[in-house]
Amino acid sequence: MFRHRSSRLAFALVAAALALGVVWTPAPFAQGKKLKIGVVYDYTGPFAGGGSELHALGAKIMIDYFIKKGGVEGYQIEALYADAQSKPDVAINESVRLLEQEKVDMLMGFFSSAQCVPVAARVEQLKKFMWITTCISSGVVENKNYKYVFRPQASGDQFGLMTMDFIAQNAQAKFGKDPKDLRVAIIHEDGAYGVDVAKGNVAGAKKAGFNLVLKEGYSATAPDLSALVTKLKRAQPDVIFHTGYNPDITLLLRQAREQGLKFGALMGHGAGYGVYEKLKEGLGTDVNYVFNTDPISIWLANQKSMDPKLPPVIKMVGEEFDKLKPGVAIRSAHVGIAASNSYVFLADVLPRAIKKYGGVDPDALRKAALETDLPEGGTMLGFGVKFFGEGTPMAGQNERSFPVIIQYVDDKSYVVWPKSQAQREAVLPLPAATTYSYK
């Protein structure tokens, strides 16, 4: 019991310190070789509850795991944590401060694509190394030809295309309609993240031949979304494709309930849709049958097809999460995403940089990252890792990553797409007698 309380207290103290603008660092190591990692997430502001705090937790669990193991290849690990406060300008300032004043060797983290885009440009300009665990906008790396920015995470257009393909493949069987007769609406927060996923949605809708009845962006901090709900009511979509954080998701669906909006399915795309506890807190049982698209939860991934050294690490992450967040109905996929993507760096890239390229300078880390070659099943998220190389349109992006679609049913999450990963059939459309069902 004492260990559980002390772990929770430790994380709470870190979050509190960050909220006050204080950077936490572990006790100084004995003199020797060291890798200093600047870790940037949102511990305050709307992005914190929208998933960033959970990603921060996953990354910290993994970093602490390697610190307790004594570091990597003779190098101690030291982490300096900074709060981006859900603001792109703060993310940039904190990143530069960590690099130039705190002299960190690299940056890790970054939840929001609105932060990733400008920070990546600045890091590249400084010729420093950046390992992105989370943000998904294609615009972070597309046509940038960065040398020092790497992202093992799936990209936003993959999210948008996958949900459209899922509905297209189920239109006739589940809705009794040809795709051309299916009415779809695309709504999204208007930052880099939402715009990129919506771009994938639009491309997927065009490919499927759907009847696109509404496409609209909005500010994630908008205090009122009733006008958007009114437009949705007029459009009468069978399926709503939504990209948002939270509390905007809760606000939208509460106002939709008040105004009597009806539809057949709600397809979410990561971020706020990946934080089940927040959804349940805001929507109650109305969260039932909502879909979310994200890299698979490490606790739902097929461990039989996985590298055998990974299941024990997954178990460790789960145990640490349970200590810090006891009683949570569903372990958030967000925690596992950051933990897995952090592990790839610490277990694969970093040892190669040290052993083959002589250290942890940006060029050593860059060369080591470009040689990463993990097959499918080589990560806790099920996918492999191989980065597009310099001179390609998506240089630095993992070409082997992919998301999955899950559905929430009675306080559990189930993978429903693609079929190769599916744990059960999707419930489509919304059952009669549920709040938003148009049946």
Side-chain angles (χ1 to χ4, degrees):
M1 176 64 76
F2 177 75
R3 282 183 61 205
H4 289 206
R5 285 178 178 168
S6 61
S7 297
R8 291 199 298 272
L9 178 61
F11 191 73
L13 288 172
V14 170
L18 288 165
L20 293 171
V22 178
V23 173
W24 173 86
T25 61
F29 291 108
Q31 290 299 313
K33 294 180 179 178
K34 182 190 298 183
L35 173 72
K36 291 179 71 173
I37 305 175
V39 185
V40 184
Y41 289 103
D42 307 285
Y43 295 84
T44 55
F47 296 156
S52 188
E53 188 179 6
L54 290 167
H55 278 273
L57 179 57
K60 186 176 187 301
I61 288 171
M62 196 53 65
I63 291 168
D64 286 350
Y65 172 71
F66 278 86
I67 289 174
K68 288 170 189 171
K69 285 177 64 176
V72 175
E73 297 295 334
Y75 277 71
Q76 297 286 354
I77 307 294
E78 181 180 352
L80 286 76
Y81 295 85
D83 182 8
Q85 301 177 28
S86 303
K87 299 172 183 176
D89 59 331
V90 174
I92 296 169
N93 291 339
E94 286 295 276
S95 298
V96 172
R97 181 184 63 78
L98 286 168
L99 289 167
E100 295 190 340
Q101 296 179 29
E102 301 294 341
K103 304 298 182 185
V104 299
D105 297 296
M106 59 169 289
L107 295 177
M108 179 185 285
F110 301 97
F111 176 74
S112 165
S113 294
Q115 297 169 9
C116 268
V117 172
V119 171
R122 191 79 174 97
V123 170
E124 182 73 13
Q125 183 184 44
L126 293 171
K127 294 187 171 152
K128 300 296 186 180
F129 187 85
M130 180 177 183
W131 185 262
I132 298 169
T133 62
T134 306
C135 74
I136 66 172
S137 172
S138 305
V140 176
V141 296
E142 190 172 19
N143 297 320
K144 303 291 177 60
N145 200 29
Y146 290 151
K147 291 184 177 182
Y148 299 98
V149 178
F150 291 86
R151 179 171 60 185
Q153 170 77 307
S155 63
D157 55 346
Q158 290 179 291
F159 284 56
L161 285 164
M162 175 168 272
T163 51
M164 286 290 174
D165 184 55
F166 166 66
I167 293 297
Q169 297 295 324
N170 285 281
Q172 190 66 59
K174 300 291 189 179
F175 289 90
K177 294 184 178 184
D178 288 329
K180 65 180 175 59
D181 296 321
L182 204 70
R183 300 169 65 85
V184 303
I186 299 168
I187 57 174
H188 61 92
E189 64 88 24
D190 60 9
Y193 160 63
V195 169
D196 194 54
V197 175
K199 184 172 71 173
N201 281 149
V202 170
K206 186 176 181 180
K207 178 182 175 184
F210 290 144
N211 178 13
L212 180 57
V213 294
L214 179 69
K215 179 187 177 296
E216 183 144 339
Y218 65 89
S219 169
T221 58
D224 182 9
L225 294 173
S226 58
L228 178 57
V229 173
T230 299
K231 290 180 181 179
L232 286 166
K233 284 190 70 176
R234 288 195 197 117
Q236 298 182 315
D238 294 295
V239 184
I240 297 173
F241 296 82
H242 184 204
T243 305
Y245 293 106
N246 225 340
D248 55 303
I249 294 172
T250 298
L251 175 63
L252 175 79
L253 291 173
R254 280 180 176 172
Q255 293 188 323
R257 182 173 57 204
E258 291 163 4
Q259 294 178 234
L261 175 65
K262 305 294 182 182
F263 48 84
L266 176 62
M267 304 298 307
H269 301 92
Y273 281 100
V275 189
Y276 181 78
E277 294 301 310
K278 287 283 184 184
L279 292 172
K280 182 71 181 285
E281 179 186 311
L283 303 172
T285 56
D286 287 346
V287 73
N288 252 356
Y289 310 111
V290 166
F291 293 92
N292 177 42
T293 311
D294 248 332
I296 197 167
S297 165
I298 61 174
W299 297 287
L300 298 180
N302 182 4
Q303 296 190 6
K304 292 179 181 177
S305 62
M306 197 178 284
D307 185 319
K309 72 175 177 287
L310 297 176
V313 184
I314 292 174
K315 183 173 182 289
M316 177 278 296
V317 175
E319 289 170 351
E320 292 301 313
F321 175 76
D322 290 345
K323 291 175 189 175
L324 295 163
K325 300 279 187 181
V328 172
I330 297 175
R331 290 171 175 168
S332 173
H334 285 316
V335 175
I337 292 168
S340 178
N341 290 334
S342 299
Y343 181 86
V344 170
F345 173 78
L346 292 163
D348 182 87
V349 177
L350 182 57
R352 188 182 309 111
I354 295 168
K355 289 191 291 184
K356 187 172 181 178
Y357 296 108
V360 296
D361 63 88
D363 281 298
L365 295 172
R366 176 181 68 84
K367 291 173 185 175
L370 286 169
E371 291 182 9
T372 296
D373 189 5
L374 299 176
E376 187 165 338
T379 71
M380 290 180 269
L381 297 168
F383 53 64
V385 182
K386 180 70 176 174
F387 294 106
F388 288 108
E390 293 171 27
T392 60
M394 293 293 285
Q397 171 63 37
N398 180 14
E399 60 182 271
R400 294 176 181 168
S401 57
F402 56 81
V404 298
I405 297 174
I406 63 102
Q407 186 173 33
Y408 297 121
V409 183
D410 297 332
D411 287 340
K412 290 183 172 58
S413 60
Y414 299 94
V415 179
V416 296
W417 195 262
K419 287 184 178 179
S420 63
Q421 302 284 331
Q423 298 173 303
R424 61 174 287 169
E425 277 280 313
V427 178
L428 277 172
L430 283 169
T434 53
T435 298
Y436 306 107
S437 173
Y438 64 3
K439 292 180 72 173

